[in-house]
Amino acid sequence: MGRKRIGILTSGGDCAGLNAVIRAVVHHAMGNYDWEVLGICHATNGLMSRPPLVKHFDLDTVDPLLIAGGTILGTTNRGNPFAYPMSDGTVRDRTDEIIEGYRQLELDALIGVGGDGSLAILRKIAQQGGINLVGIPKTIDNDVGITERSIGFDTAVNIATEALDRLHFTAASHDRVMILEVMGRDAGHIALNAGISGGAHVILIPEIPYKLETLCNHIKKRQARGQNYSVVIVSEAVCTESGESVTKLEQFGECRLGGIGRYLADKITDRTGAETRVTTLGHVQRGGIPSPLDRLLASSFGVAAVEAIAEERYDCMVTWQNRQVVAVPITEAIATYQAVDPQDTLVKTARGLGVCFGD
Ligand code: F6P
């Protein structure tokens, strides 16, 4: 096998563990195979730039990346290269520039670390331009198909769990209903996992429709038993009772989920008389030091992605399945959105613990 030159980019929202992937790729590719590794800056934007924006790595200085949050390569979750918003207000397909950037760098393969949206875009560009792509799933939302886990999810669950642990004390001390709103986009994995680990009394996720009456009765029953406080965790994509998404307009005219916690707080106070407070966890779920499990996953995925390239196995994504890293066709992974199955074992666990889903 000849000496290869490979690129790695991170795309989509950041999360804990991205730098640990970069470290693993550098160790295996440079340390074991003696390949060259180029870090592509700012996702596909780095390949659009002229000259392409790259970072070079030194095998002896990458180790601190294991615990560093964010991504040293930079990333973006805006600006789909197929309809890229230009500064003059027009929208342009810039995928040929990305393919040309890959060629200019004389790369043999590209590792793309992203969520389902980024991986779908990267795959389309790779098919169009003959790019040898290997995908690595990352997202706190844990909604990428086929893989049981994506990088960043475990850390986000740990942070949300710690928040619940803290909220329990204030809830009990003040006889309040404390509501924690967490991220996750359309999937309720963070709320479900943290809700169980953090002992929430109510877990609301988009996959299980709720009734206000049911969840307020649950709170009232607790009050009647002398449990004059409750802790609620809610996913950002949970709708109002009548089925409307709660969103807020961010900069650049973008719509983001957020605000369901406030909606619920008002309804709960109206119906139960309880004093309520809302904590919106926001981006603290994405940043910071990766959990040990995310470090393991990131290290395993990084090494496996390099192995896939060594075997010239492209158009695949590495996944975690039954305690193994398995490479699957990217198409399979992005074809299946991984929402919470209402019959999931964790949903049954929560119900067994007396948790109310509002259904
Ligand atoms: O997909 C990851 C995620 O953190 C979602 O859970 C959340 O809805 C969204 O990104 C937030 O995006 P932004 O960082 O653009 O506010």
Side-chain angles (χ1 to χ4, degrees):
M1 180 188 7
R3 190 165 191 258
K4 290 187 191 293
R5 174 186 285 186
I6 66 171
I8 178 167
L9 62 78
T10 51
S11 181
D14 80 322
C15 64
L18 294 177
N19 284 323
V21 178
I22 296 167
R23 169 184 179 265
V25 167
V26 169
H27 266 292
H28 200 32
M30 291 177 74
N32 295 328
Y33 282 117
D34 193 28
W35 296 347
E36 201 178 336
V37 181
L38 296 184
I40 316 289
C41 302
H42 309 300
T44 45
N45 290 352
L47 289 173
M48 284 176 203
S49 299
R50 293 294 172 269
L53 295 175
V54 295
K55 244 190 198 350
H56 296 269
F57 298 107
D58 172 357
L59 187 56
D60 292 324
T61 59
V62 289
D63 279 346
L65 292 179
L66 181 60
I67 61 165
T71 161
I72 54 158
L73 296 177
T75 187
T76 179
N77 61 357
R78 302 176 44 236
N80 177 350
F82 284 96
Y84 197 88
M86 304 299 289
S87 51
D88 63 3
T90 58
V91 164
R92 210 200 293 162
D93 180 348
R94 298 191 65 183
T95 51
D96 284 346
E97 293 167 62
I98 293 170
I99 294 162
E100 177 53 27
Y102 174 85
R103 303 238 171 286
Q104 282 187 12
L105 292 173
E106 299 181 342
L107 296 175
D108 295 299
L110 178 67
I111 296 175
V113 190
D116 58 340
S118 299
L119 290 173
I121 289 171
L122 283 173
R123 188 201 181 242
K124 210 167 149 195
I125 299 170
Q127 291 295 300
Q128 185 179 313
I131 292 175
N132 294 324
L133 178 68
V134 175
I136 296 183
K138 68 87 218 169
T139 167
I140 65 165
D141 307 338
N142 206 34
D143 55 358
V144 179
I146 312 283
T147 186
E148 286 161 18
R149 294 190 161 271
S150 290
I151 296 163
F153 171 62
D154 184 64
T155 307
V157 169
N158 285 355
I159 293 165
T161 301
E162 190 194 332
L164 287 177
D165 291 345
R166 290 169 186 270
L167 291 172
H168 270 277
F169 292 108
T170 303
S173 305
H174 285 264
D175 290 342
R176 283 178 181 165
V177 174
M178 300 298 282
I179 299 174
L180 180 69
E181 180 179 317
V182 293
M183 285 185 166
R185 215 154 256 174
D186 296 318
H189 297 290
I190 297 177
L192 177 61
N193 284 257
I196 294 171
S197 312
H201 306 111
V202 178
I203 299 176
L204 298 180
I205 57 175
E207 295 87 345
I208 301 181
Y210 69 94
K211 284 202 166 34
L212 282 166
E213 193 185 352
T214 311
L215 87 89
C216 290
N217 282 344
H218 186 77
I219 291 169
K220 281 194 219 159
K221 271 191 205 147
R222 284 181 48 76
Q223 288 169 334
R225 291 206 317 268
Q227 297 292 303
N228 218 12
Y229 76 98
S230 291
V231 175
V232 177
I233 186 165
V234 58
S235 282
E236 60 181 358
V238 166
C239 291
T240 63
E241 196 178 29
S242 52
E244 286 141 17
S245 294
V246 185
T247 56
K248 51 187 190 280
L249 208 56
E250 294 285 9
Q251 287 169 313
F252 312 111
E254 282 170 328
C255 207
R256 288 282 183 268
L257 293 163
I260 185 65
R262 184 70 261 155
Y263 164 86
L264 290 170
D266 293 341
K267 301 288 177 201
I268 291 170
T269 301
D270 283 353
R271 292 174 186 230
T272 67
E275 189 180 5
T276 51
R277 291 286 188 276
V278 183
T279 302
T280 304
L281 211 43
H283 292 82
V284 293
Q285 292 159 99
R286 293 227 305 246
I289 297 175
S291 67
L293 182 53
D294 272 332
R295 295 180 207 181
L296 287 177
L297 202 61
S299 302
S300 306
F301 282 173
V303 168
V306 170
E307 251 342 88
I309 295 171
E311 291 164 13
E312 306 207 327
R313 188 157 175 215
Y314 302 123
D315 199 19
C316 67
M317 185 189 87
V318 294
T319 63
W320 189 260
Q321 296 177 22
N322 300 318
R323 303 174 70 189
Q324 302 284 330
V325 180
V326 184
V328 302
I330 295 187
T331 40
E332 277 181 28
I334 56 184
T336 1
Y337 182 74
Q338 182 170 266
V340 173
D341 176 352
Q343 301 309 320
D344 189 276
T345 187
L346 288 183
V347 175
K348 290 184 183 147
T349 300
R351 290 195 196 280
L353 294 167
V355 172
C356 170
F357 284 90
D359 58 341

